[in-house]
Amino acid sequence: MVVKKLAKESQLPSVLEDNVAEMEGELLGESEELGGIGSRPPSRPRKLYSRGSVDSQTVTRSDADPRRSLSGRPGEEMADGGSDGVEGPEGEDPGEDTDGGPAQAAEDQDYDTDLEMEDEKVPYDPTGETCYRSACKVFGVVPVSYFLRNMHTSELNMMHHGLGPQGTKALAVPLVTNTSILKLNLRDNRMEGPGGAAMAEMMTENCFITEMDLSENRLGLAGAQAISSMLRENSTLVSINLSGNDFDDHAARHLADALVTNQKVEALDLSYNRMGNMAGELLGNAIAENTAVKDLNLSWNCIRGKGAVSLANGLGANIFLRKVDLSYNGLGKEGAVAMGDALKVNNVLEELNLSINRIPPDGAICFASGLQQNKTLRTLAMARNPMQTAGCYSLLKAIKENPESAVEFLDFSDIPVNQEFIDLYEEVKEVFPNLRVQHGGCLGKNKKPKLKDASEIQGNTESADKTEDQGQALI
């Protein structure tokens, strides 16, 4: 076929066509005798590395397409159906090595090269240890061995580890993808504002941690702002402790905004901070709109005056709070009056702590009017208030006059009572046998010391004289 094509292209006379046919027949006969691919005719000079020659040399074909058809059938390389190489017997393509020769090896080598060019994938580390160690190098801190050992427990307690801001940042990196820890305690780690911001950023991504303790870390205003932003986005955190973080009235503004938006946190601890009257007003308005918080701790702050009144009003409007701790503030008479009014309309609250709030006797009497109508409060703590026995008596009398009262425990610690209060308590016990009252003692039970007889006094005098005489004799 190749010879016919060459003949056609060179326009040989018709007289020579028969000779050409005979020459092609002879070439095919020689190919069959040799059992291989036919060699080129003597009239055409043989090139080096001719693949079709009997000496097993190959021909490099520059104009042929290296990517041949997967079917392997001859004649599919060129669009015009022609071929510039010598066709083997039975339609075999001369460029194909049926015995897996150099051509196949070259193709295999090309495939291997493609595989080597692919990017090597870094193996996934489910433990997070590699990620944590890399983060420690970046932030220049030493990895905490306790964290490496317990990073896959459901409850991680890392109190008093002295992480600092940089250590907290490194710790936050593996916690972003951690799926094991459900309760995280980082109390007293000196993380400050930058560390608090890192933990807040981590909590915007982590959707497994439900309880977090960040107390005593000096987060300050920057930390409060970061935590508030996190609370507006996080939907899994149920309990958070922010006690002892130097939050003031400015920080309370951000926290109040978070309380209005977040409807998932059920326990919030803001004790041992420096929030004052403005904070009371802001938090009071936020509590009135919040529908999730059930346990609120605002003890050891500076809430008094208008702030206390606003906080009490918010408590009265809230129908979800179950436990409120306002101890160690300065509610005074105004706050006690407002809190009594809140108890008249709130029939959800179960525990209330108003200890050490400078509540006077007349303030306790006004508060008792709300206790007389409340039906859900079970525990009331008013210890160490200057309300004296008159205030304690009025509260106990209010419970007696409320047949639907649910109070089970009254805490009047360090407040002395008189015998009249003790008698009233005995009467109330007959109606409410489960009621327990703790007070600072009864004033009527203090008895004067019993006087001794004259004979006993004379006998003691004689014995003292004898002892003095013996001492002088020894001298």
Side-chain angles (χ1 to χ4, degrees):
M1 182 183 295
V2 176
V3 178
K4 288 182 178 180
K5 182 178 180 181
L6 292 174
K8 186 177 180 181
E9 291 178 354
S10 59
Q11 297 181 356
L12 293 175
S14 59
V15 180
L16 298 178
E17 290 183 359
D18 297 335
N19 297 334
V20 173
E22 292 178 0
M23 186 184 296
E24 183 179 2
E26 293 176 359
L27 291 174
L28 293 175
E30 292 176 0
S31 175
E32 293 177 357
E33 291 177 1
L34 294 175
I37 301 174
S39 62
R40 298 181 182 275
S43 62
R44 184 176 182 182
R46 180 170 58 86
K47 294 182 181 180
L48 295 177
Y49 305 106
S50 176
R51 179 166 182 157
S53 61
V54 294
D55 53 358
S56 300
Q57 293 181 344
T58 59
V59 178
T60 59
R61 300 170 58 185
S62 59
D63 58 341
D65 188 2
R67 298 182 180 178
R68 295 178 284 108
S69 174
L70 295 176
S71 62
R73 292 179 293 180
E76 295 182 0
E77 291 81 7
M78 301 187 64
D80 57 354
S83 176
D84 59 351
V86 181
E87 183 181 8
E90 301 297 333
E92 183 178 354
D93 187 1
E96 180 179 2
D97 189 357
T98 58
D99 296 332
Q104 185 68 25
E107 293 181 2
D108 296 340
Q109 186 176 1
D110 293 341
Y111 287 121
D112 294 340
T113 304
D114 294 340
L115 292 175
E116 291 174 359
M117 292 176 62
E118 294 181 359
D119 296 335
E120 295 183 359
K121 296 182 179 180
V122 179
Y124 175 68
D125 182 15
T127 62
E129 179 178 350
T130 305
C131 178
Y132 177 58
R133 292 185 183 275
S134 301
C136 289
K137 291 181 180 180
V138 172
F139 294 105
V141 296
V142 179
V144 181
S145 58
Y146 180 83
F147 176 67
L148 293 173
R149 294 194 307 267
N150 298 275
M151 63 191 308
H152 290 288
T153 58
S154 60
E155 185 173 354
L156 180 63
N157 190 337
M158 291 189 63
M159 296 190 300
H160 319 301
H161 274 73
L163 296 176
Q166 297 298 102
T168 305
K169 292 179 181 178
L171 188 72
V173 174
L175 289 178
V176 172
T177 56
N178 187 284
T179 60
S180 302
I181 299 175
L182 304 179
K183 299 180 181 180
L184 179 61
N185 189 343
L186 296 176
R187 181 180 183 182
D188 186 24
N189 274 283
R190 215 168 30 85
M191 59 179 61
E192 300 178 353
M199 296 307 299
E201 184 178 359
M202 179 273 297
M203 286 301 299
T204 57
E205 300 293 336
N206 187 292
C207 57
F208 293 91
I209 297 177
T210 58
E211 297 184 16
M212 174 180 286
D213 189 345
L214 299 178
S215 59
E216 300 180 17
N217 278 291
R218 303 177 183 178
L219 299 182
L221 178 60
Q225 186 174 0
I227 294 295
S228 301
S229 300
M230 178 270 294
L231 291 176
R232 286 193 288 267
E233 298 182 15
N234 185 279
S235 60
T236 57
L237 195 62
V238 177
S239 175
I240 182 170
N241 189 341
L242 299 173
S243 173
N245 278 296
D246 296 334
F247 291 158
D248 54 7
D249 289 346
H250 299 287
R253 184 180 302 276
H254 299 286
L255 296 173
D257 295 339
L259 278 177
V260 174
T261 306
N262 185 284
Q263 303 298 331
K264 294 294 182 180
V265 175
E266 298 181 0
L268 177 61
D269 191 344
L270 294 173
S271 61
Y272 289 90
N273 284 292
R274 297 184 288 108
M275 294 183 291
N277 297 341
M278 183 182 298
E281 296 179 10
L282 295 171
L283 293 176
N285 297 331
I287 291 172
E289 299 181 17
N290 186 275
T291 60
V293 177
K294 298 179 180 179
D295 185 353
L296 178 63
N297 190 346
L298 289 171
S299 62
W300 288 92
N301 278 281
C302 305
I303 302 175
R304 57 176 62 91
K306 295 181 179 179
V309 174
S310 178
L311 192 63
N313 295 335
L315 179 62
N318 188 286
I319 58 174
F320 296 93
L321 279 168
R322 298 289 189 275
K323 181 179 179 181
V324 176
D325 189 351
L326 296 175
S327 59
Y328 290 89
N329 280 279
L331 300 184
K333 179 181 178 181
E334 296 179 359
V337 174
M339 196 64 64
D341 295 337
L343 289 181
K344 295 178 182 179
V345 296
N346 187 302
N347 284 317
V348 180
L349 192 65
E350 297 179 358
E351 297 183 28
L352 179 62
N353 191 343
L354 299 178
S355 300
I356 314 177
N357 268 283
R358 301 187 304 176
I359 299 177
D362 51 350
I365 295 173
C366 295
F367 178 81
S369 62
L371 191 63
Q372 187 175 355
Q373 300 181 24
N374 187 272
K375 302 177 183 179
T376 59
L377 193 65
R378 297 179 180 274
T379 301
L380 175 62
M382 301 190 70
R384 301 180 65 180
N385 278 298
M387 57 186 185
Q388 303 176 2
T389 186
C392 297
Y393 184 88
S394 61
L395 293 174
L396 187 61
K397 184 178 180 182
I399 295 175
K400 178 183 177 182
E401 296 176 354
N402 183 5
E404 298 181 359
S405 175
V407 177
E408 298 176 353
F409 179 67
L410 287 175
D411 187 3
F412 298 147
S413 299
D414 297 332
I415 302 177
V417 296
N418 54 17
Q419 186 62 37
E420 187 178 1
F421 177 87
I422 299 298
D423 296 338
L424 178 62
Y425 175 57
E426 296 297 333
E427 297 178 6
V428 175
K429 285 281 291 183
E430 297 179 359
V431 182
F432 303 100
N434 296 327
L435 178 63
R436 295 182 300 109
V437 178
Q438 183 175 349
H439 52 79
C442 182
L443 296 175
K445 291 186 178 181
N446 294 331
K447 297 181 180 181
K448 296 181 181 180
K450 182 180 180 180
L451 297 177
K452 297 181 180 180
D453 297 337
S455 58
E456 294 180 358
I457 297 175
Q458 184 177 0
N460 293 335
T461 304
E462 294 177 355
S463 61
D465 293 338
K466 291 181 180 180
T467 303
E468 184 177 356
D469 294 338
Q470 291 177 357
Q472 293 178 355
L474 291 174
I475 295 174

